[in-house]
Amino acid sequence: MTRFRPCIDLHAGQVKQIVGGTLDSATSELKTNFVSPHPPAYFAKLYRDNELTGAHVIMLGPGNKEAALESLKAWPGGLQVGGGITDANAREWVEAGAEKVIITSYLFPNGKFSQSHLDAVLAALDGDKTKLVIDLSCRRQGDDRWFVAMNKWQTITDMEVSEESIKALEPYCSEFLIHAADNEGLQKGIDEKLVQRLSEWCSIPVTYAGGGRNLGDLETVKRLSGGKIDLTIGSALDCFGGKGVTLRECVEWNRRQ
């Protein structure tokens, strides 16, 4: 059944909420909705205390390792970690307390999907796909087509998010995380067509993020996906300075499901 899943987005060692499409190397172009005065561990404990499992910690660029480790120490085995994950460090993050690791950019050297890179990450995890989440965060191309975006969502890869690509990747992971990067941080609503397509294509757990504003969007995701897809709400949450919905309301919504 659809549930709310929270996040901890780290940028330059701080918890932030960022407009996804602006997340490039030029910091001057970065649009930030919120910078938290609290350390990452504050949010990890908050999610732990409210039994908000399946939360993801995303390291957006360099300078976030210590902040991510701090989160894991606050809730060992309770958080997924992504951002810069490769075959060289995947096991290290699991040993540090990550429930699962999330991979994106490493799968797409020069913007092209690499099966050998996927195999290498899985091998680093001793073939345990329950420890692996594939992030197929994407940008819309035309009316009803989406392509995976990497490098802070600035580079469009050669992989279309489609039934074919989903079915090809499902045997290698335990779930998908999919940010609609064009919607991320704008609080203008979710990409309903993408949510509907994902529910038709996917047979393993999926978390959608991007544009979530309130409990109404949770209800919409539940209706469109038949309860198959979870929703992350970020910038609209009160704990991230938002006015769309409170964390308490999301926790209570989960408990009613």
Side-chain angles (χ1 to χ4, degrees):
M1 189 54 69
T2 294
R3 61 195 174 109
F4 160 74
R5 291 208 207 189
C7 61
I8 301 174
D9 291 345
L10 301 172
H11 183 263
Q14 292 179 288
V15 178
K16 299 183 183 181
Q17 285 292 308
I18 284 164
V19 178
T22 71
L23 188 62
D24 60 15
S25 302
T27 306
S28 60
E29 297 298 317
L30 184 70
K31 292 183 181 176
T32 303
N33 286 330
F34 177 75
V35 180
S36 176
H38 299 295
Y42 168 86
F43 293 96
K45 291 173 184 172
L46 186 63
Y47 302 160
R48 179 197 65 198
D49 293 346
N50 285 285
E51 300 175 341
L52 291 168
T53 56
H56 52 269
V57 179
I58 303 295
M59 297 177 283
L60 298 167
N64 295 304
K65 184 173 181 179
E66 290 307 313
L69 288 171
E70 180 186 318
S71 303
L72 297 182
K73 286 175 186 169
W75 192 7
L79 301 165
Q80 304 175 2
V81 176
I85 304 297
T86 70
D87 62 333
N89 63 15
R91 177 193 285 272
E92 171 190 330
W93 281 106
V94 171
E95 290 175 345
E99 179 202 8
K100 305 183 183 191
V101 290
I102 306 166
I103 51 169
T104 312
S105 296
Y106 182 68
L107 293 184
F108 297 93
N110 301 312
K112 299 186 185 306
F113 174 71
S114 168
Q115 180 66 47
S116 64
H117 278 206
L118 176 55
D119 292 339
V121 172
L122 203 52
L125 298 171
D126 294 327
D128 186 357
K129 72 175 188 176
T130 68
K131 297 293 185 188
L132 187 60
V133 179
I134 293 180
D135 183 338
L136 293 180
S137 294
C138 56
R139 303 196 78 155
R140 185 183 272 270
Q141 303 287 296
D143 286 342
D144 288 319
R145 298 182 74 188
W146 300 266
F147 283 78
V148 176
M150 55 177 272
N151 290 337
K152 306 174 194 167
W153 303 325
Q154 298 303 307
T155 302
I156 307 297
T157 72
D158 67 345
M159 179 174 281
E160 183 172 1
V161 179
S162 64
E163 184 170 16
E164 182 181 5
S165 59
I166 292 287
K167 295 303 181 198
L169 293 172
E170 281 189 339
Y172 298 92
C173 63
S174 57
E175 56 184 279
F176 293 113
L177 172 63
I178 299 180
H179 292 83
D182 298 309
N183 297 58
E184 182 76 15
L186 296 177
Q187 300 179 58
K188 291 183 178 178
I190 61 171
D191 188 330
E192 295 190 8
K193 285 188 177 179
L194 179 57
V195 169
Q196 193 165 357
R197 294 289 186 275
L198 291 171
S199 71
E200 295 165 1
W201 297 335
C202 299
S203 62
I204 62 174
V206 182
T207 299
Y208 167 92
R213 301 163 295 187
N214 47 44
L215 295 185
D217 284 326
L218 273 165
E219 293 288 352
T220 298
V221 170
K222 179 180 175 181
R223 174 177 54 81
L224 289 173
S225 71
K228 290 174 64 178
I229 293 180
D230 294 339
L231 175 65
T232 292
I233 299 174
S235 295
L237 273 177
D238 63 333
C239 61
F240 294 130
K243 294 180 169 49
V245 65
T246 66
L247 185 71
R248 171 57 47 197
E249 287 171 329
C250 291
V251 169
E252 290 171 355
W253 193 91
N254 275 4
R255 288 175 180 164
R256 292 196 299 270
Q257 304 310 305

